[in-house]
Amino acid sequence: SARGGCTNMRTIRSLAVPDSTVISLAVTDICGTQPSACDGTLQGGVLYLASLGLTGTVPPELGLLTDLETIYLGENHNLSGTLPPQLGKLSKLTGIDIDDNKISGTIPLALGELVNLESLSLDNAKLSGTVPPELGKLSSLDSLLLYNNALSGSLPSSVSGLGLTRCRLGGTNRYLCPLPTLRRACGVDSDYPPLCSNGPHPPSPPPPLPPPPPPSP
């Protein structure tokens, strides 16, 4: 058996594309029927497992695949467990797509180490806790999709400094107001219900104090 109790993984397609390899897997769990997926020997720049009906969890052994540039695990609706912090070791990653599933727990702080990451899609899942301020270190990030989870707390101001052109943070998430300027940058005001758990909008500043009365003659 493979490391970590995973079964083997069967590769049904491996073909070369410029600067990367696409690996498509038809299995019931990610470790599947070939041990190379969980022992660090699987070669490839893109791991494509989207919409395959995968079950089980995202194995921490994926953190051994240091040549990975993109991970596609989207639309595996019965994928569960938590996101392993070992994904933060994959320094070549430019894209993570792990959406539309039952994955719970928090967003790993280690994802903030992925300095080449351009796209992070974790929407339509069961993630909870806060948006980690470590994501503000992702200076290459262009797309951030976290909507329809159970995220709460304050949105970190560090994320508002990112040059995002595509982001969706609302849906079933509820944050504490006041929200940083990221809210307007992401355009969520018109796309989603109010994002604040403590009110529909950031609190208004108090009215100014009236001027003092003129001095008595």
Side-chain angles (χ1 to χ4, degrees):
S1 64
R3 183 186 302 182
C6 290
T7 55
N8 296 333
M9 176 169 58
R10 182 186 340 127
T11 301
I12 47 177
R13 186 182 66 211
S14 178
L15 56 118
V17 296
D19 300 321
S20 65
T21 300
V22 176
I23 301 165
S24 182
L25 308 165
V27 296
T28 57
D29 65 2
I30 293 175
C31 288
T33 59
Q34 187 176 24
S36 58
C38 290
D39 64 11
T41 62
L42 186 66
Q43 300 298 311
V46 178
L47 188 61
Y48 189 85
L49 299 88
S51 305
L52 293 177
L54 297 178
T55 60
T57 63
V58 179
E61 290 87 351
L62 289 185
L64 300 173
L65 303 176
T66 55
D67 287 332
L68 280 183
E69 298 170 4
T70 312
I71 295 176
Y72 292 102
L73 298 177
E75 299 186 11
N76 287 296
H77 303 295
N78 291 314
L79 206 60
S80 59
T82 60
L83 292 172
Q86 287 83 355
L87 294 179
K89 298 179 180 180
L90 303 177
S91 60
K92 295 182 181 180
L93 277 181
T94 60
I96 295 176
D97 185 345
I98 308 179
D99 59 10
D100 292 283
N101 53 57
K102 297 178 180 177
I103 290 176
S104 58
T106 58
I107 299 173
L109 306 185
L111 296 187
E113 302 301 319
L114 300 175
V115 296
N116 293 309
L117 198 66
E118 299 173 1
S119 175
L120 178 61
S121 299
L122 302 175
D123 47 282
N124 291 316
K126 298 183 180 298
L127 296 171
S128 59
T130 61
V131 177
E134 285 78 4
L135 296 186
K137 298 190 295 183
L138 302 178
S139 58
S140 298
L141 198 66
D142 179 70
S143 175
L144 178 63
L145 305 180
L146 302 177
Y147 62 90
N148 286 345
N149 279 284
L151 298 170
S152 59
S154 298
L155 277 174
S157 58
S158 61
V159 178
S160 67
L162 297 173
L164 297 170
T165 61
R166 183 174 183 242
C167 65
R168 293 291 181 266
L169 305 178
T172 53
N173 299 321
R174 287 296 179 267
Y175 307 105
L176 290 176
C177 286
L179 300 174
T181 55
L182 178 67
R183 185 171 78 139
R184 294 182 180 87
C186 292
V188 293
D189 278 332
S190 60
D191 291 349
Y192 295 101
L195 295 182
C196 301
S197 60
N198 57 340
H201 301 289
S204 300
L209 295 174
S216 300

